[in-house]
Amino acid sequence: PSALDNRPLTGEEVWERVPQAVLVSATPGAEMALLCGPSPRVTELVVRPTGIPDPHVAVVDVAPLGGYEDHLLAQIEARVARRERTLVTCITKASAEALSDFLSGHGVSSIALHSGVKPLERLRLLAQLRSGELDVLVGCNLLREGLDLPEVSLVCVLNADKQGLLRSTTSLIQTIGRAARHVNGVALLYSESGRSSEAMEQAIAETNRRRAKQLAHNERNLIVPRAAGTALGADGAAEPRAPDGGGASILE
């Protein structure tokens, strides 16, 4: 809605004109709770028609490994062998570009996706990831909301213990959720300190809460998780995706 003087309405002006509303969010926060009043009526929908649960989440302590690179490369190569894709999130643009160069140097088709990439180029890179021309996209905060990538089975969050805007509870839940379109979805949270931040603990707890509900729903209704929708061919055209049974893999 806009005002007569060609500006957006303020929040107060909007709610003066909207007596009732249905608010929908995958990660509702305190502000939404306040809008709903002291006794909000909340309906939670966490199950999916495909039966795919939220991903298995594991914390990787970097210190005993002497760095995350070799461990990350091995995890990615395992997905490449299964023709699955990976998203990796870094803290900075420079670190994303450096990691992409490292992966490319080890035979992994990878590219960095950051704020310097123009929107149309960004869409092209996402299509290349889906079609299999790329195995990995490495980025920063661009790998949060609005990405529907059914081919992605692995999401890796580097410096997950450095709590801040890009590693807040909400951001981590959204990032972990990028692996929730694949029957073998796994999210790895790499910790430099060997400890889990408060945001990590909250994000993991919420993901596990949803996952437990989803798995119980599947068992109760004899649902086998399956891939659904369309895949992109090498030419970028949509191709039917055959149903595929399976479940969340467990990190060894």
Side-chain angles (χ1 to χ4, degrees):
S2 59
L4 288 176
D5 55 349
N6 196 29
R7 62 169 175 79
L9 296 179
T10 65
E12 185 177 344
E13 290 170 339
V14 169
W15 295 116
E16 286 176 353
R17 292 161 175 78
V18 181
Q20 287 184 315
V22 176
L23 306 180
V24 181
S25 175
T27 50
E31 183 178 353
M32 182 175 287
L34 289 174
L35 288 173
C36 294
S39 301
R41 288 182 292 177
V42 178
T43 300
E44 185 177 57
L45 178 62
V46 297
V47 299
R48 300 182 177 91
T50 59
I52 298 177
D54 277 28
H56 170 75
V57 183
V59 177
V60 180
D61 185 0
V62 173
L65 303 175
Y68 64 83
E69 290 86 355
D70 290 342
H71 185 277
L72 176 64
L73 181 61
Q75 295 295 320
I76 291 173
E77 288 177 336
R79 271 68 187 183
V80 172
R82 300 201 298 257
R83 301 180 65 184
E84 299 170 359
R85 318 288 189 268
T86 301
L87 298 179
V88 183
T89 67
C90 301
I91 291 290
T92 66
K93 172 183 173 180
S95 62
E97 291 178 333
L99 177 58
S100 180
D101 290 342
F102 167 80
L103 295 174
S104 297
H106 285 76
V108 176
S109 180
S110 171
I111 199 164
L113 186 66
H114 49 68
S115 58
V117 178
K118 295 182 178 180
L120 290 180
E121 176 67 6
R122 180 176 185 265
L123 293 176
R124 186 181 70 84
L125 295 177
L126 292 173
Q128 288 182 339
L129 181 74
R130 294 199 60 193
S131 68
E133 291 181 64
L134 292 172
D135 297 314
V136 183
L137 281 182
V138 186
C140 303
N141 61 333
L142 292 180
L143 298 181
R144 280 177 48 195
E145 302 170 87
L147 296 183
D148 186 12
L149 303 170
E151 296 79 10
V152 171
S153 67
L154 176 64
V155 170
C156 300
V157 183
L158 303 184
N159 303 112
D161 52 329
K162 292 189 177 180
Q163 189 159 325
L165 176 62
L166 298 181
R167 298 295 182 265
S168 66
T169 301
T170 298
S171 292
L172 288 174
I173 291 173
Q174 291 170 340
T175 303
I176 290 168
R178 296 313 94 210
R181 305 289 188 273
H182 200 286
V183 293
N184 296 321
V186 172
L188 300 181
L189 307 184
Y190 286 82
S191 171
E192 297 286 341
S193 65
R195 299 186 298 273
S196 295
S197 67
E198 182 179 353
M200 287 173 62
E201 292 175 350
Q202 292 173 351
I204 293 171
E206 175 59 18
T207 301
N208 288 342
R209 184 189 71 84
R210 297 180 185 183
R211 180 177 168 83
K213 279 193 170 187
Q214 293 156 350
L215 293 176
H217 173 80
N218 289 351
E219 183 177 0
R220 190 164 55 248
N221 294 279
L222 304 178
I223 295 173
V224 177
R226 67 188 190 283
T230 58
L232 292 185
D235 59 355
E239 300 175 345
R241 182 192 300 279
D244 179 22
S249 63
I250 301 300
L251 179 69
E252 295 181 355

